[in-house]
Amino acid sequence: MSWYRNTVWFVKGLREYTRGGYESASKHFNPADVEVDVAGRSFLVTGANSGIGKATAKEIARRGGTVHLVCRNKERAEVAKEEIVTETGNQNIFLHIVDISNPKEVWKFAEKFRNEHKLNVLVNNAGCMVNNRELTEDGLEKNFATNTLGTYILTTALLPLLEKEADARVITVSSGGMLVQKLNISDLQSENGTFDGTMVYAQNKRQQVVLTEQWAKAHRNIHFSVMHPGWADTPAVRSSMPDFYEKMKSYLRTEAEGADTVVWLAVSAEATQLPSGLFFQDRQPVATHLPLACTHSPPEDEEKLMEVLEEFSQKFRSTSPG
């Protein structure tokens, strides 16, 4: 069945995920949706020094928002911050150096942030696609540590802060690649079988969709969403998928086009008129499963994922400073 899923996903991608797909979808956008002033609202964007994250942060800054950039590389982050301030004239841009793959570091950051700032919108954008199985210093498979566990810990740690605010939102940048994966809770760290970084990444992105759906059920006064930016020309795509990039580079979306739906979900009033927990593409909710693809999971598997991630989370919290 995997060949069927992969083929259907790729054909769908050629039609919808490329620049042409964005141009077609954008004909139906209402520009007024994102022509808003968000001064006084606080946004946290992870992985904000390049790609979708930087494009998102820049657009929010243009609209007057206070933006917290969470980045791993200090040098690149400082360059990105300077660029955002210069281009937007917004001085309320703050930088935090955090490695999302390090759960103790994420806990330490989140607990400090909770004591010092307010937060209206969290954008979980940081991610990685490591093509060979690598372990972090904590013995965690790196893709899982970054894409799934890091996202889980940061979000759950900041929920109390978000709960205090009106119109609080959490947006997670996923991928249409998750459509080829069924949730697999038996091998979260990819220890069994041949390691395929692209499929591990897709599995992590399926996990993010499940997380969003579960959070939406549990936290009714926060609007959760997860989205696919399409196939965009970003540094991450160039470095992680060089063959794909070479074949598709003339068809890829710009970073701003990839970030458009993130910005829409973060700032528009229209986004929160739709139910919490949905998966979006080009400002529209879309299905989380391909027809006939057999990727649905039983509810107990989805609940088990949350339980296992909470166990991981608390293990690292107990050893974190502060």
Side-chain angles (χ1 to χ4, degrees):
M1 186 58 77
S2 62
W3 66 266
Y4 167 82
R5 292 198 293 261
N6 291 346
T7 302
V8 172
W9 170 77
F10 190 72
V11 171
K12 180 181 177 69
L14 288 174
R15 185 177 67 248
E16 299 177 18
Y17 302 163
T18 56
R19 187 173 61 247
Y22 175 82
E23 289 169 352
S24 177
S26 66
K27 292 174 184 174
H28 306 286
F29 293 172
N30 180 1
D33 285 1
V34 293
E35 290 172 359
V36 293
D37 183 347
V38 292
R41 285 175 66 77
S42 175
F43 299 76
L44 189 155
V45 183
T46 66
N49 66 282
S50 67
I52 304 294
K54 185 171 78 172
T56 297
K58 194 177 291 184
E59 290 304 316
I60 291 169
R62 286 191 212 283
R63 291 159 175 79
T66 295
V67 187
H68 295 273
L69 313 175
V70 173
C71 307
R72 184 167 53 94
N73 183 292
K74 190 171 187 290
E75 284 183 19
R76 290 203 295 265
E78 286 174 345
V79 171
K81 176 187 172 181
E82 185 177 339
E83 180 184 322
I84 292 168
V85 170
T86 301
E87 287 193 21
T88 67
N90 187 338
Q91 299 295 320
N92 293 318
I93 312 298
F94 302 94
L95 189 55
H96 310 271
I97 305 304
V98 185
D99 183 348
I100 299 293
S101 75
N102 184 323
K104 293 188 286 290
E105 202 174 303
V106 175
W107 266 119
K108 183 179 178 182
F109 161 72
E111 288 168 349
K112 185 172 187 288
F113 190 91
R114 272 200 323 236
N115 292 328
E116 296 177 355
H117 304 281
K118 75 166 198 168
L119 183 63
N120 298 94
V121 180
L122 168 63
V123 178
N124 289 310
N125 166 74
C128 68
M129 185 193 294
V130 179
N131 288 311
N132 296 301
R133 192 171 188 273
E134 293 180 21
L135 300 183
T136 68
E137 62 183 42
D138 297 299
L140 300 168
E141 191 278 315
K142 196 163 189 177
N143 294 291
F144 167 76
T146 306
N147 302 327
T148 302
L149 185 59
T151 296
Y152 177 87
I153 292 176
L154 183 63
T155 304
T156 53
L158 293 177
L159 284 174
L161 203 53
L162 289 158
E163 296 271 10
K164 295 177 183 178
E165 302 297 330
D167 190 19
R169 311 181 189 193
V170 175
I171 300 118
T172 300
V173 178
S174 181
S175 167
M178 68 91 195
L179 292 167
V180 306
Q181 286 286 309
K182 179 179 179 178
L183 179 66
N184 177 11
I185 57 168
S186 66
D187 190 24
L188 290 177
Q189 303 219 51
S190 309
E191 297 172 278
N192 304 324
T194 303
F195 187 90
D196 181 333
T198 305
M199 289 299 105
V200 171
Y201 177 82
Q203 173 66 208
N204 295 161
K205 295 300 172 176
R206 169 62 69 187
Q207 291 159 5
Q208 290 178 344
V209 170
V210 173
L211 288 179
T212 298
E213 293 169 345
Q214 294 294 312
W215 282 326
K217 291 177 189 174
H219 304 277
R220 301 286 184 174
N221 59 334
I222 299 173
H223 191 271
F224 292 88
S225 55
V226 61
M227 61 78 68
H228 174 38
W231 294 342
D233 186 350
T234 66
V237 168
R238 294 183 193 188
S239 62
S240 300
M241 304 175 70
D243 292 343
F244 173 82
Y245 173 74
E246 283 303 318
K247 289 175 185 171
M248 297 298 298
K249 59 185 177 183
S250 59
Y251 302 98
L252 297 178
R253 300 178 177 202
T254 66
E255 293 171 348
E257 290 167 349
D260 176 82
T261 295
V262 189
V263 176
W264 182 82
L265 288 165
V267 307
S268 77
E270 287 67 26
T272 54
Q273 299 305 304
L274 293 161
S276 183
L278 298 181
F279 180 60
F280 286 83
Q281 176 188 312
D282 291 332
R283 303 192 189 182
Q284 292 290 327
V286 293
T288 55
H289 300 277
L290 293 169
L292 308 176
C294 302
T295 51
H296 290 270
S297 301
E300 54 267 29
D301 279 8
E302 297 179 355
E303 291 162 10
K304 181 65 175 176
L305 174 67
M306 303 304 282
E307 291 171 13
V308 171
L309 291 177
E310 182 61 18
E311 287 171 12
F312 268 116
S313 172
Q314 293 304 321
K315 170 187 170 185
F316 290 107
R317 185 180 191 180
S318 65
T319 57
S320 67

